[in-house]
């Protein structure tokens, strides 16, 4: 499992983003249970789960952390639990590979993380977790969420918070911010080598069928001054439901004939405040609630 190529990719990432290791300490909510999962490429993924009401189970949220964070970050506990309790949903959270307690297989900024999420969906199926399945992903988690939402018919809806456009875009902007532009091609190439194919490009949602048969609802929310380029993320949003007009910066209530929405606002998340999820941003929770009300009313 831990090949030379994987070790090289991990070493590069840990050198460029030292907080990916520093931020590994975590706990889990005392109201949850934890489970180890196996991905399609045999990576061990840590997860914890919560069932809001075993007698009134209306769906399942999968909440997905950002780069260098993990599901032990209390910023991902409280607001998701409030949402789960509000809607009578179960809740599942995972540590992506190379994060938290999960195995140190190199992150890929989208594609392999979608396999991690797939393992969580499979576990939810195995325990008869209620549908619909709704994804809420932040940054790295949003990159996994959008890939799974567009390809997996089990997904009813997805919220993508502060999501970079595509894998090379994610690495490029993160390293430019650290004035380490020279590391961009080396890092991406090392990640590709660790997996034995061009996994970075495979994680680009613009290469996927834009009109999936299961027609999930998708909401992108991004800070107008985010460190990732909002116009790049908008390219991904534009790819969804190609050929179908959609108004930008309209909420589901304001544009109820759409299946995709993109809302920009004042929310901002940085490496310095990683332990406070953007989900805590003022006004953002109300947007998620509005979206969820719309999705559930559509059933």
């Amino acid at each position: 499992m831990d090949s030379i190529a994987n070790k090289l990719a991990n070493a590069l990432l840990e050198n460029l983003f030292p907080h990916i290791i520093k931020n590994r300490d975590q706990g889990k909510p005392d109201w949850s249970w934890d489970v180890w999962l196996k991905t399609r490429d045999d990576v061990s993924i840590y997860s914890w789960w919560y069932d809001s009401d075993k007698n009134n189970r209306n769906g399942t949220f999968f909440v997905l952390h950002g780069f260098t964070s993990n599901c032990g970050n209390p910023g991902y506990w409280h607001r998701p639990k409030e949402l789960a309790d509000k809607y009578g949903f179960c809740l599942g959270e995972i540590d992506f590979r190379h994060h938290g307690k999960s195995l140190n297989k190199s992150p890929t900024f989208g594609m392999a993380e979608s396999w991690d999420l797939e393992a969580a969906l499979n576990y939810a199926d195995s325990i008869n977790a209620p549908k619909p399945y709704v994804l809420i992903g932040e940054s790295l988690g949003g990159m996994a969420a959008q890939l799974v939402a567009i390809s997996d018919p089990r997904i009813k809806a997805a919220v993508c918070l502060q999501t970079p456009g595509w894998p090379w875009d994610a690495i490029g902007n993160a390293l430019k911010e650290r004035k380490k532009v020279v590391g961009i091609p080396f890092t991406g190439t090392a990640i590709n080598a660790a997996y034995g194919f061009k996994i970075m490009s495979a994680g680009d949602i613009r290469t996927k069928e834009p009109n999936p048969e299961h027609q999930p609802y998708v909401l992108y929310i991004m800070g107008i001054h985010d460190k990732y380029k909002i116009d790049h993320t908008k390219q991904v949003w534009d790819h969804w439901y190609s050929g179908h007009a959609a108004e930008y910066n309209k909420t589901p209530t304001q544009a109820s004939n759409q299946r995709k929405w993109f809302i920009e606002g004042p929310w901002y998340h940085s490496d310095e405040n990683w332990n406070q999820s953007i989900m805590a941003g003022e006004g953002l929770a109300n947007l998620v609630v509005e979206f969820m009300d719309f999705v559930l009313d559509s059933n």
Side-chain angles (χ1 to χ4, degrees), residues 169 171-181 184 229:
D169 183 46
I171 284 186
N173 277 280
L175 293 182
K176 284 176 184 175
E177 185 185 45
R178 290 167 173 75
K179 297 181 172 57
K180 295 180 178 179
V181 178
I184 297 173
K229 295 180 179 179

Side-chain angles (χ1 to χ4, degrees), residues 140-244:
L140 176 66
M143 301 187 82
Q146 65 185 7
L147 282 168
V148 172
I150 209 167
S151 61
D152 195 315
R154 291 176 288 185
I155 305 307
K156 176 71 173 179
V159 181
C160 299
L161 305 170
Q162 272 191 316
T163 302
W166 46 88
W168 284 102
D169 183 46
I171 284 186
N173 277 280
L175 293 182
K176 284 176 184 175
E177 185 185 45
R178 290 167 173 75
K179 297 181 172 57
K180 295 180 178 179
V181 178
V182 70
I184 297 173
F186 292 109
T187 305
T189 300
I191 291 171
N192 285 339
Y195 286 86
F197 73 103
K198 294 182 179 179
I199 196 167
M200 293 286 290
S201 298
D204 190 334
I205 196 174
R206 298 172 301 172
T207 67
K208 313 303 178 187
E209 166 56 47
N211 292 287
E213 290 186 7
H214 60 291
Q215 296 189 320
Y217 296 102
V218 60
L219 169 65
Y220 284 81
I221 301 175
M222 197 165 191
I224 194 168
H225 300 301
D226 197 271
K227 64 181 178 182
Y228 295 108
K229 295 180 179 179
I230 196 168
D231 59 317
H232 286 189
T233 304
K234 189 173 182 293
Q235 287 183 38
V236 171
W237 179 75
D238 286 337
H239 178 75
W240 277 93
Y241 298 116
S242 177
H244 298 268

Side-chain angles (χ1 to χ4, degrees), residues 12-56:
L12 274 170
L13 286 162
E14 289 164 13
N15 178 262
L16 295 168
F17 305 99
H19 44 304
I20 197 172
I21 294 299
K22 183 181 72 175
N23 293 342
R24 289 242 170 160
D25 292 339
Q26 65 162 13
K28 76 173 183 67
D30 57 11
W31 33 263
S32 68
W33 75 91
D34 56 3
V35 180
W36 283 92
L37 311 172
K38 278 286 188 178
T39 67
R40 64 167 70 183
D41 61 334
D42 202 36
V43 175
S44 295
I45 298 297
Y46 176 78
S47 68
W48 62 255
W49 301 79
Y50 167 68
D51 196 342
S52 60
D53 184 349
K54 291 183 174 62
N55 296 313
N56 185 25

Side-chain angles (χ1 to χ4, degrees), residues 58-59 89 131-132 134 156 217 292-299:
N58 298 316
F89 268 44
K131 290 181 173 65
V134 177
K156 176 71 173 179
Y217 296 102
M292 282 302 305
D293 287 344
F294 180 89
V295 168
L296 294 177
D297 286 345
S298 72
N299 281 345

